[in-house]
Amino acid sequence: MCGIVGLLAKKPALREKLGELMVPMLIGMTERGPDSAGLAVFRDPLAESQRKISVYSGLTEAGADFNWQGLVHDLKAHLGATVELEAKGNHAILIMKADPEIIKRWIKEHHPKLHLLSTGRSIELYKDIGTPAEVANRYNFKTLKGSHLVGHTRMATESAVTPDRAHPFTAGEDFCLVHNGSLSNPNGIRRMLEPRGIHFETDNDTEAACRFLEWRLREGDKLELALQKGFEELDGFYTFLMGTPDALALIRDPFACKPAVVAETDDYVAIASEFRSLAHLPDIKNANVFEPAPEEMYVWKI
Amino acid sequence: MENLTFDLAKSSLRELNQLLHKDAKDGKLGKVTVLNPDGAHNIAVGLDCPVEVEVQGHAGYYVGGMNKIATITVMGSAGTGVGENMMSGKVHVKGFASNGAGASAHGGLLVIDGDAGLRCGISLKGGDIVVGGSVGSFSAFMAQAGRMVICGDAGDALGDSLYEAVLYVRGNIKTLGSDAQIEPMSQADLDTVADLLAQAGLKHDPKGFKRIASKRELYHWNVDANQEY
């Protein structure tokens, strides 16, 4: 199984309450995915010259006691980079006015067990093992603000239960993907991408889909064309929900093996594996509730 | 006979189903109105008495599953497997239904006013299904007995590997499945469609429906077919 949830605020006022509305959605999918949970939130983009990186220290020896201030100090000392820090336990967001690749390379070299979750001008990403309620509390999801977000509750089938194999997966900048289902050709996709210099971090099947679609976007495909190529290349069962700086996108495999339901009002678009996760949303009784069709592309812009 | 309102926001689903299995069976209950279903799974499953249940909202998976005799109405939509393995009685969904609606139903009537998802009526074993809207791909796959009336369109592979179930479709059929064929409508077919539409409360001219039934070419192994059907 696995549960997916997504929420896009159509009105600015709702951006303030994005996390608050999302937490019950995520917890509502606990039965579908009790072993790990995660969430990517998209916020107003930073200036062109800035980037933010979400970093996870749960795999280091220090864990939640990781010395984030020390890391910021070292980045200044060794690279001359001024980095702003927002840290909470085993998670930190580093904001910089520098090439993020240089910072990431330095972190990987000196702290190989730090896990880099996401990079971009909009995206902030959290994921960890534990029940959705535990993970939501750990990172205080209810206070998150932003225009849209993508969340996931995991019941692992294709790879082990570890924080780095939880969803969302990211590739490149400001792109993330969550998956309910299982792919049958992830290794083929991987063998096709690796010779093109695309590096994989886990053995997870979803990572293959994420890197494939991000590769198409980076090669210049518009989102719709990239998704069309996804239909052609990705084999297996899937409902994918993706986040970009200005959109949420959803596709389902031709057999609609994995569920999805959408509720749309003038104020928001909410997506979940099951209606159970949408029932609490404001004005849900008057929402347009529908099931997205298989092999169709659904793209909602902010 | 007493009518009762049951609020799923205040009491558990198990309490509701125990009430419907026990008190209703004792003949104490006439109609039970269920409030705040909020997509809960397994609402009113396995009923075995002439109680009437009205679900005020969206139901989750398997609502009305294994139903016998009871009449269950869902005012919103229904999740996967509504009326699955129904034996008799009636399940009526006023909104849309997800995948596998009425799967392997042995008897009774399932009515879906809106669209039904994929695999509607898969392995149907004698029940009747009326869909006011369209059905998704692979509907009536290996349906053995019973009837389906589809007022809208059908997706891919309708009636693949059909046995003796008969399908009636008013709209377009994207593709027929293996061994399914369109056949002429007889007077008996027109009467059947008229009767099922009346039971479902839908007004269409039975003459506007096509009959789909099995070619019966898959009933026996054909060594010359080279696995191609």
Side-chain angles (χ1 to χ4, degrees):
Chain A
M1 272 202 177
C2 284
I4 61 167
V5 290
L7 184 63
L8 181 146
K10 290 184 179 176
K11 301 228 165 116
L14 215 61
R15 293 182 174 199
E16 301 297 306
K17 295 206 299 184
L18 202 71
E20 193 185 322
L21 291 171
M22 169 58 99
V23 169
M25 294 178 72
L26 200 68
I27 291 173
M29 288 294 96
T30 302
E31 283 175 31
R32 295 190 66 90
D35 67 48
S36 330
L39 182 152
V41 61
F42 290 84
R43 311 184 63 171
D44 287 337
L46 298 171
E48 193 82 50
S49 58
Q50 288 185 300
R51 291 292 182 279
K52 53 187 168 184
I53 305 174
S54 298
V55 189
Y56 174 82
S57 69
L59 299 169
T60 66
E61 267 171 42
D65 298 322
F66 187 82
N67 183 359
W68 295 111
Q69 288 294 351
L71 175 68
V72 170
H73 179 268
D74 289 350
L75 287 170
K76 179 82 187 168
H78 291 94
L79 299 175
T82 305
V83 173
E84 277 178 59
L85 174 72
E86 290 172 22
K88 187 175 190 314
N90 65 20
H91 186 275
I93 297 167
L94 308 176
I95 302 164
M96 65 212 63
K97 198 171 177 177
D99 182 349
E101 295 310 313
I102 293 170
I103 306 269
K104 282 156 71 176
R105 210 173 304 137
W106 191 91
I107 292 175
K108 274 183 192 163
E109 200 176 313
H110 295 87
H111 298 279
K113 287 191 170 170
L114 275 183
H115 185 58
L116 302 169
L117 295 164
S118 69
T119 310
R121 289 167 59 202
S122 294
I123 192 170
E124 293 174 10
L125 195 137
Y126 304 80
K127 63 182 185 183
D128 206 348
I129 52 174
T131 66
E134 286 163 359
V135 175
N137 283 335
R138 195 169 300 155
Y139 302 120
N140 215 2
F141 281 170
K142 65 175 186 291
T143 60
L144 289 176
K145 297 172 173 57
S147 51
H148 54 303
L149 49 72
V150 169
H152 187 265
T153 66
R154 181 166 189 238
M155 186 186 284
T157 57
E158 306 303 302
S159 65
V161 178
T162 60
D164 53 339
R165 293 180 179 91
H167 303 214
F169 278 89
T170 61
E173 293 196 358
D174 283 324
F175 178 76
C176 78
L177 176 145
V178 295
H179 177 200
N180 175 200
S182 52
L183 297 180
S184 54
N185 66 342
N187 296 325
I189 299 287
R190 200 179 163 128
R191 282 193 294 272
M192 189 253 289
L193 293 178
E194 277 176 336
R196 296 170 200 270
I198 292 169
H199 172 70
F200 280 71
E201 290 178 342
T202 72
D203 55 353
N204 183 282
D205 59 329
T206 305
E207 187 180 350
C210 181
R211 295 205 183 276
F212 174 82
L213 292 168
E214 191 274 336
W215 167 62
R216 287 318 317 159
L217 292 170
R218 201 153 27 83
E219 290 290 307
D221 289 356
K222 295 266 181 237
L223 185 57
E224 284 77 2
L225 182 59
L227 296 178
Q228 183 54 44
K229 290 188 174 146
F231 282 133
E232 289 159 18
E233 295 293 334
L234 302 171
D235 187 34
F237 303 142
Y238 53 84
T239 294
F240 289 133
L241 181 65
M242 290 148 278
T244 72
D246 66 346
L248 289 181
L250 180 138
I251 55 173
R252 298 177 75 195
D253 72 74
F255 293 84
C257 274
K258 297 296 172 183
V261 62
V262 178
E264 185 160 11
T265 70
D266 289 341
D267 294 339
Y268 61 81
V269 179
I271 301 119
S273 296
E274 298 178 34
F275 183 77
R276 288 194 276 179
S277 274
L278 305 175
H280 68 284
L281 289 170
D283 202 31
I284 188 74
K285 286 196 166 64
N286 298 313
N288 174 28
V289 177
F290 65 95
E291 221 177 60
E295 259 186 315
E296 292 277 335
M297 292 173 214
Y298 294 84
V299 179
W300 297 278
K301 297 266 184 190
I302 60 169
Chain B
M1 296 267 271
E2 180 195 0
N3 292 336
L4 194 112
T5 298
F6 194 99
D7 190 347
L8 275 177
K10 294 185 182 137
S11 307
S12 73
L13 177 76
R14 180 161 291 180
E15 285 172 77
L16 169 67
N17 281 339
Q18 283 177 347
L19 176 92
L20 292 171
H21 288 167
K22 194 169 174 297
D23 292 12
K25 208 169 175 184
D26 294 342
K28 289 177 192 158
L29 293 174
K31 179 175 174 179
V32 177
T33 303
V34 180
L35 304 179
N36 297 308
D38 290 354
H41 295 184
N42 309 325
I43 295 173
V45 292
L47 303 193
D48 190 11
C49 61
V51 68
E52 194 185 335
V53 179
E54 187 174 289
V55 180
Q56 296 272 7
H58 300 293
Y61 293 8
Y62 311 121
V63 56
M66 301 180 281
N67 183 46
K68 242 173 155 178
I69 315 173
T71 300
I72 298 156
T73 307
V74 179
M75 304 309 282
S77 67
T80 298
V82 53
E84 182 169 290
N85 220 61
M86 177 160 56
M87 303 304 286
S88 63
K90 184 178 177 183
V91 176
H92 188 164
V93 180
K94 300 272 186 175
F96 66 86
S98 185
N99 296 340
S104 77
H106 292 246
L109 174 67
L110 170 64
V111 179
I112 298 155
D113 288 354
D115 294 336
L118 286 82
R119 301 179 281 281
C120 180
I122 184 171
S123 195
L124 193 66
K125 290 182 171 70
D128 291 325
I129 301 176
V130 181
V131 181
S134 300
V135 298
S137 298
F138 319 109
S139 287
F141 177 60
M142 293 187 86
Q144 293 136 59
R147 300 162 301 181
M148 274 180 77
V149 173
I150 300 157
C151 300
D153 304 330
D156 276 313
L158 177 71
D160 195 291
S161 308
L162 263 181
Y163 290 84
E164 294 301 293
V166 179
L167 322 174
Y168 302 98
V169 180
R170 184 163 165 271
N172 296 318
I173 300 165
K174 196 170 170 202
T175 55
L176 284 172
S178 291
D179 212 31
Q181 65 181 356
I182 295 174
E183 298 181 347
M185 292 282 282
S186 68
Q187 187 55 48
D189 290 314
L190 293 171
D191 294 346
T192 296
V193 172
D195 174 45
L196 288 170
L197 287 172
Q199 286 188 58
L202 292 165
K203 288 195 175 72
H204 292 295
D205 183 355
K207 290 198 185 89
F209 286 78
K210 296 178 275 289
R211 175 190 154 103
I212 292 95
S214 176
K215 278 191 237 175
R216 298 174 181 167
E217 287 177 358
L218 292 178
Y219 278 33
H220 304 286
W221 171 248
N222 178 4
V223 75
D224 298 322
N226 292 326
Q227 300 279 32
E228 286 174 10
Y229 293 98

